[in-house]
Amino acid sequence: MKELAEVRTLRVNRYMIIDDEPCKIMSISTSKPGKHGESKARIEAIGVFDSQKRSVVHPVKHKVHVPIIDKRSAQILSLMGSDVVQLMDLETYETFEMPIPDEFKDKLAPGNEILYLQALGKKKITRV
């Protein structure tokens, strides 16, 4: 899910969508309005799921999409090999599989709880 927001209301460490990818805003710099134009904002951001750097320039009155990022917790049901984990959401009891990020390869064990992000149909483990 996503909603609209004006560029001037965006803040550092919040989120916006660039190229259909939810991104965390790292910096925002604005220019002064010109003789015939309006102020522009340059936004530097990093993709939440793919960790790619992206930058965009928009007028400050331009509307952009902001993702609704859901922070949820889940319990590890089983490890399927060394790169896939089976999880159960602790609110909805839905079970699903997810790839294991490199930084958590040796830290996961069945029965442990993890935190994960969910946005635009994608999921990512954030904390063990």
Side-chain angles (χ1 to χ4, degrees):
M1 293 186 7
K2 52 190 174 183
E3 55 189 33
L4 283 175
E6 279 193 10
V7 170
R8 66 177 156 198
T9 63
L10 298 175
R11 300 286 174 253
V12 174
N13 290 331
R14 297 277 174 88
Y15 300 93
M16 72 178 287
I17 296 175
I18 303 174
D19 301 331
D20 290 329
E21 185 70 30
C23 298
K24 186 174 186 175
I25 299 171
M26 303 314 286
S27 69
I28 301 174
S29 56
T30 55
S31 63
K32 291 184 179 177
K35 188 174 178 182
H36 299 289
E38 57 182 309
S39 298
K40 296 217 181 343
R42 178 181 184 83
I43 301 168
E44 304 282 335
I46 294 182
V48 173
F49 298 107
D50 62 3
S51 300
Q52 280 192 343
K53 280 190 171 183
R54 294 177 168 87
S55 64
V56 291
V57 177
H58 288 302
V60 292
K61 292 183 181 174
H62 185 76
K63 291 197 184 307
V64 294
H65 287 285
V66 177
I68 296 174
I69 296 195
D70 200 5
K71 294 177 179 155
R72 305 182 71 93
S73 56
Q75 182 177 12
I76 299 172
L77 296 178
S78 67
L79 298 172
M80 306 169 95
S82 62
D83 51 354
V84 177
V85 64
Q86 185 180 26
L87 301 168
M88 178 182 67
D89 188 285
L90 292 175
E91 269 184 49
T92 63
Y93 302 110
E94 165 196 11
T95 59
F96 54 92
E97 294 175 6
M98 194 186 258
I100 301 173
D102 291 334
E103 66 260 27
F104 299 124
K105 288 269 191 220
D106 302 328
K107 298 177 182 168
L108 302 181
N112 288 359
E113 284 187 20
I114 57 111
L115 294 175
Y116 71 96
L117 295 178
Q118 179 175 334
L120 300 178
K122 298 178 182 177
K123 296 175 183 170
K124 177 185 178 183
I125 297 174
T126 56
R127 199 177 331 162
V128 176

